[in-house]
């Protein structure tokens, strides 16, 4: 049965003209006589007048003038087919209200005008973004099908949808107080700030021109369809939220996820992976209220898509119904969008809506050389296709909602007054500074007090029999049995899931325990929050981003380190989110206001480094993907992992992205030397403050902290005990005036401890106390604890378990940072894993204790060791750059 919303009769229509505006003072029928671009007329006037966008303004003015004079006009024909005007009650299932129609039309007018000003601003060097929405302005009415709880992620050509939605939601929030113009002024200024890269752009803070920034409206980058994986994540994430807090149970209040893209993006893996995941969710009867909106204008910059979208969705799909709307008709766009949203909302299932009959006006962007791939007749015909004229004719002659005189008044007020003033103001505002850029990279560190994790950079941990040093901050109860690292990892994950209902663990094969049993038995205790995904890292990471945007705290497991490459685009999308969405205003110069303040998460990158199973693709030992905005840590033992994971949780709650890199070899390691059980540690239980109330923060291992392993009593070699094996050095090294340390992380810590004993056994070092081992878990920058600790050493070996060479390891950049701060000891060397790949069934290519021993010997003897043979790069003492 068809349902209709009554269109207001003309006698009660809303006046488009502002009550305070005088039509005679606003009306113009030619190019503006006074504008922000007047000062550029002498240098750029000719080029401005030659812009096809400026000609289009004149054509629209002439159209409105002729209509008011009663002259008949020929509506523009599209390249495909002309828009037909038909009786609404016979052709649409849903008809929007007159107020929504007029708001959609004004949003379309504003979208067109904004592009004109942006194009001129670019021409005169004051604007920096010209990817245009023209030809797709009628999609604005899709916003009327959305509710305030729905999330959107809009393609960069769909400014009109964002404009209409934000305008409507603000009107509703203001209870339709009639203050429409002030709302519009704010929205236009926000867009002008984006085009001119003003520091006060409320969406990105002046770093990019992005659509978004409104409630539940998520920023989209320029990466093709990269908005789709997180959009599906939000659709899946709704079911994990507390329904009572989010929405009532009736269909109209259930949120959906709405993401749009161009038809050229159908080929991109972000979209294909997202579409597959959404269909798979439907197949499994998992709630996934997702609407994909695809605008089909036939061009992907210069590549003609030739209606491929129709071929892709030509057959009926039981998992994914398809709706189609005439993209030049506000009523059709609304009707079909409403049907699509109703379907997703009611059935909690995905669907697609295709907006057809679209023409891309004025090219892809200002830099688009259309003449290189289109003939002049086609270019002119596309530029002459003005969908606004169609909508204005529909509003006046078919729906009887307004008059051409009123439309011209409103057009001129928006174009020549409001947007002109918005650009004039935005151009005068400051741009971002280098200091702004550095501060925006990540959310501020959580303020943890009393913060031993931040105050004390150096802590010690004894090795033998898993006993803690007396200086360790949180001494666990004696009843705690020492365990291997894997058991401690499972326990701390369970701890976080128990204490916070927003924590969700997602990965591949994680419900049954995962590839390394790290999640063993967790699904039985937390059945709805241990979530399995198909083997696709793009949608796995994208879903984690979507979860975090809803306020959940995802811990996402990447099964093997090499598999991060498969989802690396989405990984970088996650990394850039805080930088991209942190905005400031003139009143908030600190720049800590975010459009969507959520977004923190924890990533577990497992299957890293030494192993004999799976070969190179399961024993990857390069950390090439360490973008700004991600804190990367690698712990060497279960005790530190627990304290580090607790700290990662606190930082993720504050909005940071923390990635823990887990070395496979350490997960079940018990012994360092022989059968000493030296790598089993008690679980660091949480301690309480003096009042016994809340836990104190001494249970955390912060990013700036490092561990030092000094020799335990009894480790010194007695003089009468000599090793006469073939590899024993003929003479020991005199260490009387040297103090040496090996700095490493992960597997390298255990290898360094073994190397220390090996050097003593060989007689190279008199005793183990001559060599300290320093564990540096934080890898994304230079920890203060490392810088402080190195001050007491004269010699340092940096033992990196990653491969030697550019773009592969982490210590190279730390060494440079230490040198710049003049904190690098005078005698140092670097040793890394050989620069090759890892074979199946062998560990010869991984950093080992023999390589570290040779690096220590080479450094202490002040001679260079052959790097090609053992993977060592040695720095001679006091070598000047």
């Amino acid at each position: 049965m068809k349902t209709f919303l009554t269109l207001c009769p003309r006698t009660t229509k809303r006046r488009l003209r502002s009550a305070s505006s005088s039509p005679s003072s606003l009306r113009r029928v030619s190019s503006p006589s006074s504008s922000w671009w007047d000062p550029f007329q002498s240098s750029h006037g000719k080029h401005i007048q030659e812009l096809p966008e400026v000609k289009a303004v004149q054509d629209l003015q002439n159209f409105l003038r002729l209509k008011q004079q009663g002259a008949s006009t020929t509506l523009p024909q599209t390249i495909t087919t002309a828009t037909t005007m038909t009786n609404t009650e016979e052709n649409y299932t849903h008809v929007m209200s007159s107020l929504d129609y007029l708001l959609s039309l004004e949003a379309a007018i504003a979208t067109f005008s904004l592009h004109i000003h942006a194009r001129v601003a670019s021409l005169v060097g004051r604007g920096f973004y010209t990817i245009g929405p023209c030809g797709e302005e009628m999609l604005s009415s899709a916003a009327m099908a959305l509710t305030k709880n729905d999330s959107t992620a809009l393609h960069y050509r769909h400014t009109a949808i964002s404009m209409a939605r934000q305008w409507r939601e603000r009107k509703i929030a203001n209870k339709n107080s009639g203050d429409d113009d002030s709302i519009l002024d704010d929205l236009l200024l926000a867009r002008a700030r984006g085009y001119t890269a003003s520091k006060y752009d409320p969406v990105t803070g002046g770093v990019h021109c992005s659509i978004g920034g409104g409630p539940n409206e998520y920023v989209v980058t320029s990466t093709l369809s990269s908005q789709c994986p997180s959009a599906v994540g939000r659709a899946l994430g709704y079911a994990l939220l507390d329904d009572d807090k989010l929405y009532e149970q009736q269909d109209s209040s259930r949120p959906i996820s709405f993401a749009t893209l161009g038809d050229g993006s159908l080929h991109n893996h972000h979209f294909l992976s997202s579409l597959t995941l959404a269909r798979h969710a439907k197949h499994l009867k998992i709630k996934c209220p997702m609407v994909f909106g695809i605008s089909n204008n036939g061009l992907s910059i210069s590549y003609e898509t030739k209606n491929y979208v129709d071929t892709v969705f030509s057959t009926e799909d039981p998992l994914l119904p398809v709706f189609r709307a005439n993209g030049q008709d506000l009523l059709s766009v609304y009707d079909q969008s409403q049907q699509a949203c109703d379907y997703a909302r009611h059935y909690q299932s995905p669907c697609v809506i295709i907006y057809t009959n679209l023409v891309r006006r004025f090219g892809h962007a200002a830099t688009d050389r259309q003449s290189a791939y289109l003939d002049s007749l086609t270019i002119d015909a596309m530029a002459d296709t003005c969908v606004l004229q169609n909508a204005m004719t529909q509003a006046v002659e078919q729906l009887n909602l307004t008059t051409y005189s009123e439309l011209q008044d409103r057009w001129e007020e928006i174009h020549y007054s409001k947007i002109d003033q918005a650009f004039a103001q935005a151009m005068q505002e400051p741009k971002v500074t280098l200091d702004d850029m550095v501060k925006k990279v990540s959310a501020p560190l959580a303020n943890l007090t009393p913060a031993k994790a931040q105050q004390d950079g150096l802590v010690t941990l004894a090795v033998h029999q898993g006993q803690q040093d007396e200086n360790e901050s949180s001494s666990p109860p004696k009843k705690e049995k020492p365990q291997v690292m894997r058991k401690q990892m499972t326990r701390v994950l369970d701890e976080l899931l128990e204490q916070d209902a927003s924590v969700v663990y997602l990965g591949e094969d994680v419900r049954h325990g995962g590839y390394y049993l790290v999640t063993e038995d967790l699904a039985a205790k937390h059945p709805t929050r241990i979530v399995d995904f198909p083997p696709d890292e793009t949608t796995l990471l994208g879903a984690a981003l979507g979860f975090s945007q809803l306020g959940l705290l995802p811990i996402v497991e990447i099964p093997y380190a090499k598999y991060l490459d498969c989802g690396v685009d989405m990984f970088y999308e996650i990394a850039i989110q805080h930088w991209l969405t942190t905005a400031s205003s003139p009143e908030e110069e600190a720049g800590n206001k975010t459009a969507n303040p959520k977004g923190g998460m924890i990533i577990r990158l497992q299957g890293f480094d030494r192993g004999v199973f799976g070969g190179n693709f399961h024993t990857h030992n390069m950390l090439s993907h360490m973008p700004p905005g991600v804190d990367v840590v690698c712990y060497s033992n279960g005790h530190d992992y627990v304290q580090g994971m607790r700290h990662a949780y606190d930082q993720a709650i504050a909005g940071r992205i923390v990635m823990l890199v887990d070395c496979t070899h350490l997960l079940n390691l018990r012994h360092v030397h022989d059968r000493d059980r030296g790598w089993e540690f008690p679980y660091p239980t949480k301690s309480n403050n003096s009042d016994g109330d809340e836990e104190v923060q001494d249970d955390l291992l912060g990013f700036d902290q490092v561990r030092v392993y000094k020799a335990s009593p009894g480790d010194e070699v007695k003089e009468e005990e000599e090793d006469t094996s073939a590899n024993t050095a003929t003479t020991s090294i005199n260490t009387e005036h040297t103090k040496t340390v090996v700095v490493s992380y992960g597997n390298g810590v255990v290898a360094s401890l073994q190397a220390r004993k090996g050097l003593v056994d060989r007689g190279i070092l008199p005793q183990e106390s001559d060599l300290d081992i320093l564990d540096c878990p934080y890898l994304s920058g230079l920890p203060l604890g490392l810088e402080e600790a190195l001050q007491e050493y004269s010699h340092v070996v940096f033992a990196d378990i990653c491969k030697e060479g550019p773009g592969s390891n982490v210590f190279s950049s730390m060494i440079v940072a230490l040198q710049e701060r003049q904190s690098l000891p005078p005698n140092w060397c670097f040793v890394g894993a050989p620069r090759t790949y890892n074979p199946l069934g062998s560990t010869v290519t991984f950093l080992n204790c023999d390589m570290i021993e040779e690096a220590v010997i080479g450094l202490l003897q002040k001679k260079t060791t052959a790097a090609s043979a053992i993977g060592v790069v040695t720095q001679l003492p006091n070598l000047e750059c």
Side-chain angles (χ1 to χ4, degrees):
M1 179 180 296
K2 295 184 178 182
T3 59
F4 303 99
L5 295 175
T6 303
L7 289 165
C8 296
R10 177 146 180 203
T11 55
T12 59
K13 69 180 182 295
R14 167 180 168 265
R15 300 287 290 180
L16 288 174
R17 183 172 57 248
S18 171
S20 61
S21 301
S22 170
S24 60
S25 65
L26 293 171
R27 185 170 300 165
R28 299 178 178 86
V29 293
S30 60
S31 299
S33 59
S34 177
S35 172
W36 64 261
W37 67 61
D38 283 350
F40 301 97
Q41 289 290 352
S42 59
S43 57
H44 296 84
K46 178 182 177 182
H47 298 295
I48 291 173
Q49 293 301 317
E50 290 174 348
L51 287 175
E53 290 90 343
V54 172
K55 177 182 179 297
V57 170
Q58 297 169 346
D59 290 344
L60 182 60
Q61 288 285 103
N62 291 334
F63 166 81
L64 290 169
R65 178 173 55 83
L66 290 172
K67 281 292 187 180
Q68 291 176 73
Q69 295 172 355
S72 61
T73 59
T74 301
L75 290 175
Q77 302 292 303
T78 69
I79 301 303
T80 53
T81 180
T83 300
T84 57
M85 301 300 178
T86 54
N87 184 281
T88 59
E89 295 187 1
E90 293 181 357
N91 293 277
Y92 305 107
T93 301
H94 301 282
V95 180
M96 58 184 157
S97 70
S98 60
L99 291 178
D100 283 350
Y101 185 98
L102 292 172
L103 190 150
S104 299
L105 178 55
E106 290 194 20
I109 291 171
T111 298
F112 171 68
S113 177
L114 281 166
H115 174 71
I116 307 304
H117 284 266
R119 183 65 183 86
V120 176
S122 171
L123 181 65
V124 301
R126 295 299 184 91
F128 306 95
Y129 193 84
T130 58
I131 295 179
C134 296
E136 303 186 16
E137 297 98 323
M138 295 302 102
L139 301 190
S140 60
S141 62
M144 304 305 143
L146 301 170
T147 72
K148 66 177 182 179
N149 290 327
D150 296 338
S151 68
T152 60
L154 303 173
H155 183 57
Y156 43 63
R157 291 184 66 86
H158 299 159
T159 308
I161 303 177
S162 176
M163 181 71 63
R165 187 187 188 198
Q166 291 192 44
W167 194 353
R168 182 172 184 252
E169 292 302 324
R170 292 193 192 185
K171 280 170 57 68
I172 294 173
N174 290 349
K175 299 181 179 179
N176 292 305
S177 62
D179 195 19
D180 290 1
D181 275 9
S182 64
I183 296 173
L184 180 58
D185 289 341
D186 288 343
L187 293 174
L188 297 177
L189 178 58
R191 292 305 301 159
R193 284 169 165 167
Y195 287 121
T196 59
S198 164
K199 179 180 178 178
Y200 302 136
D201 168 23
V203 181
T204 73
V207 302
H208 194 57
C209 184
S210 292
I211 299 172
N216 297 315
E217 189 173 349
Y218 293 92
V219 173
V220 175
T221 67
S222 292
T223 308
L224 284 176
S225 63
S226 61
Q227 65 270 27
C228 292
S230 57
V232 175
R234 290 190 295 274
L236 294 169
Y238 287 133
L240 298 173
L241 296 174
D242 186 341
D243 291 351
D244 294 334
K245 293 181 180 179
L246 181 66
Y247 54 87
E248 299 173 1
Q249 292 304 304
Q250 63 264 29
D251 283 358
S252 61
S253 296
R254 288 178 166 182
I256 64 170
S257 180
F258 181 75
T260 63
L261 60 147
D263 57 312
S265 296
L266 293 184
H267 303 269
N268 191 271
H269 74 285
H270 290 118
F271 170 70
L272 294 173
S273 293
S274 303
L275 190 72
T276 300
L277 180 62
R279 295 179 72 254
H280 188 60
K282 172 67 173 178
H283 174 71
L284 297 177
K285 297 181 172 58
I286 295 173
K287 293 180 179 179
C288 185
M290 178 73 218
V291 178
F292 296 98
I294 305 171
S295 59
N296 179 20
N297 64 23
L299 287 169
S300 178
I301 306 183
S302 65
Y303 185 82
E304 290 188 54
T305 58
K306 297 184 182 297
N307 288 317
Y308 176 64
V309 62
D310 291 332
T311 301
V312 171
F313 297 105
S314 60
T315 59
E316 184 175 343
D317 186 344
L319 300 177
L320 197 76
V322 178
F323 301 85
R324 288 177 169 81
N326 180 354
Q328 292 202 34
D329 181 359
L330 282 173
L331 292 174
S332 176
V333 168
Y334 169 76
D335 175 36
Q336 294 298 309
S337 297
Q338 187 69 64
Q339 291 188 49
C341 292
D342 285 350
Y343 173 87
R345 218 180 296 280
H346 178 74
Y347 294 103
Q348 294 290 286
S349 298
C351 64
V352 169
I353 178 169
I354 302 172
Y355 300 107
T356 64
N357 204 25
L358 295 172
V359 174
R360 188 191 72 188
R361 299 184 80 189
F362 315 130
H364 173 71
T367 55
D368 185 7
R369 297 182 302 108
Q370 291 191 95
S371 59
Y373 56 89
L374 294 174
D375 61 71
S376 60
L377 291 178
T378 301
I379 294 173
D380 291 343
M382 292 168 68
D384 290 342
T385 304
C386 181
V387 293
L388 287 177
Q389 294 182 30
N390 288 332
M392 289 175 175
T393 301
Q394 186 179 62
V396 175
E397 300 180 17
Q398 180 185 2
L399 303 178
N400 203 27
L401 294 178
T402 185
T403 67
Y404 288 114
S405 176
E406 290 174 328
L407 286 173
Q408 180 158 354
D409 290 344
R410 191 56 166 165
W411 151 252
E412 292 182 343
E413 182 181 14
I414 290 173
H415 182 69
Y416 293 122
S417 178
K418 291 181 174 296
I419 296 181
D420 193 273
Q421 293 173 16
F423 270 79
Q425 177 178 335
M427 289 177 181
Q428 300 303 315
E429 293 174 344
K431 302 294 189 288
V432 295
T433 65
L434 177 58
D435 186 55
D436 295 329
M437 295 299 88
V438 174
K439 288 180 179 179
K440 282 167 61 75
V441 168
S442 298
L445 281 167
N447 185 19
L448 307 175
T449 57
K452 183 181 189 334
Q454 299 179 37
Q455 295 172 359
D456 184 2
L458 185 66
V459 290
T460 60
L461 189 68
V463 177
H464 292 279
Q465 296 160 2
Q467 298 300 312
Q468 286 184 288
D469 185 87
E470 61 182 3
N471 293 327
E472 175 58 26
S473 60
S474 54
S475 180
K478 293 182 180 180
K479 65 179 180 181
E480 286 288 342
K481 178 184 177 182
Q483 293 281 3
V484 296
M485 186 174 184
R486 177 180 62 83
K487 296 284 189 180
Q488 314 250 24
M489 294 165 68
T490 304
R491 185 170 170 182
V492 74
L493 291 174
D494 183 43
E495 176 186 300
L496 297 180
L497 287 161
E498 286 282 358
Q499 76 181 36
D500 187 348
S502 72
V503 174
V504 180
Y505 193 96
L506 58 159
E508 301 165 14
D509 302 292
V510 294
R511 288 187 62 82
H512 82 281
Y515 301 148
Y516 299 109
L517 298 181
V518 173
T519 55
E520 187 177 24
D521 297 328
L522 291 183
K525 297 182 67 175
H526 313 281
T528 63
R529 293 189 289 135
I530 307 296
V531 185
D532 265 338
F533 275 73
D536 173 47
E537 283 67 35
T538 293
T539 49
L540 176 60
L541 286 165
L545 176 57
F547 284 7
S548 71
Q549 290 169 335
L550 293 180
L552 298 167
L553 197 154
I555 302 176
V556 55
E557 175 187 299
I558 304 299
Y560 296 102
K562 187 69 176 70
Y563 290 14
L564 182 61
D565 292 353
C566 302
V568 73
D569 282 353
M570 194 50 53
F571 178 64
Y572 279 82
E573 192 88 0
I574 290 169
I576 203 173
Q577 284 300 306
H578 189 271
W579 179 85
L580 187 64
T581 61
T582 305
S584 62
S585 67
E587 297 77 24
E588 296 176 321
E589 285 288 346
N592 57 2
K593 174 188 174 185
T594 58
N596 293 294
K598 310 178 186 74
M601 74 175 70
I602 298 171
I603 300 172
R604 277 198 59 239
L605 189 69
Q606 63 179 22
F608 185 75
D609 199 40
R610 182 179 174 184
V612 295
F613 295 100
N616 184 76
F617 303 102
H618 297 77
T619 58
H620 192 63
N621 61 331
M622 291 190 294
L623 290 175
S624 305
H625 305 305
M626 296 180 65
V630 179
D631 296 305
V632 181
V633 289
C634 181
Y635 298 108
S636 65
N637 61 81
H639 178 280
D640 288 359
Y641 191 96
V642 172
Q643 292 190 329
M645 177 61 84
R646 290 171 180 162
H647 182 253
Y649 165 82
D650 285 334
Q651 298 305 332
I653 286 291
R656 294 180 76 93
I657 311 299
V658 185
M659 183 168 73
L660 286 77
V661 180
D662 301 340
C663 297
T664 306
H665 177 66
L666 297 175
L667 297 183
N668 297 293
L669 183 68
R670 299 182 183 276
H671 313 293
V672 179
H673 311 299
D674 301 322
R675 310 278 302 174
D676 64 354
R677 304 183 77 89
W679 218 238
E680 294 179 335
F681 295 94
Y683 189 82
T685 55
K686 290 187 175 183
S687 52
N688 295 324
N689 60 21
S690 58
D691 296 329
D693 296 329
E694 298 179 358
E695 66 182 77
V696 298
Q697 303 301 336
D698 290 350
D699 301 310
L700 309 178
L701 187 62
F703 294 147
D704 278 327
Q705 286 185 290
V706 296
R707 292 282 189 193
V708 60
Y709 294 87
K710 296 183 178 291
S712 300
D715 284 342
E716 290 80 2
V717 178
K718 297 179 181 179
E719 293 183 3
E720 63 270 24
E721 295 179 352
E722 296 183 358
D723 189 342
T724 56
S725 60
N727 67 342
T728 301
T730 55
T731 58
S732 64
I733 296 176
N734 184 356
T735 60
E736 183 177 357
H737 300 294
T738 63
K739 194 167 185 181
T740 309
V741 64
V742 176
V743 179
S744 195
Y745 60 93
N747 282 326
V749 175
V750 174
S752 298
L753 291 167
Q754 294 168 338
R756 179 168 69 181
K757 186 175 185 300
L759 289 168
V760 174
D761 291 345
R762 293 170 60 185
I764 304 297
L765 296 180
Q767 55 193 15
E768 288 195 28
S769 58
D770 290 326
L771 182 64
D772 289 343
I773 310 301
L774 195 149
D775 185 353
C776 177
Y778 188 68
L779 307 179
S780 297
L782 177 61
L784 294 179
L786 176 62
E787 185 177 9
E788 294 170 0
L790 290 183
Q791 300 311 303
E792 66 173 282
Y793 296 100
S794 60
H795 294 68
V796 56
V797 174
F798 294 93
D800 201 320
I801 59 177
C802 287
K803 300 183 189 299
E804 183 276 330
S808 302
N809 64 81
V810 296
F811 278 161
S812 295
S813 62
M814 286 195 197
I815 292 169
V816 172
L818 286 165
Q819 179 66 30
E820 289 177 343
R821 300 186 188 189
Q822 298 183 341
S823 298
L824 187 65
N827 306 282
W828 62 273
C829 72
F830 171 94
V831 56
R835 192 167 177 78
T836 184
Y837 299 102
N838 306 322
L840 181 68
S842 174
T843 61
V844 296
T845 56
F846 302 107
L847 182 72
N848 58 43
C849 58
D850 293 337
M851 297 177 184
I852 297 173
E853 287 182 33
E854 295 306 312
V856 172
I857 293 171
L859 178 65
L860 294 179
Q861 290 181 341
K862 298 184 179 180
K863 65 181 182 180
T864 303
T865 308
S868 59
I870 62 171
V872 177
V873 178
T874 302
Q875 171 66 52
L876 293 175
N878 300 313
L879 183 64
E880 296 294 332
C881 296

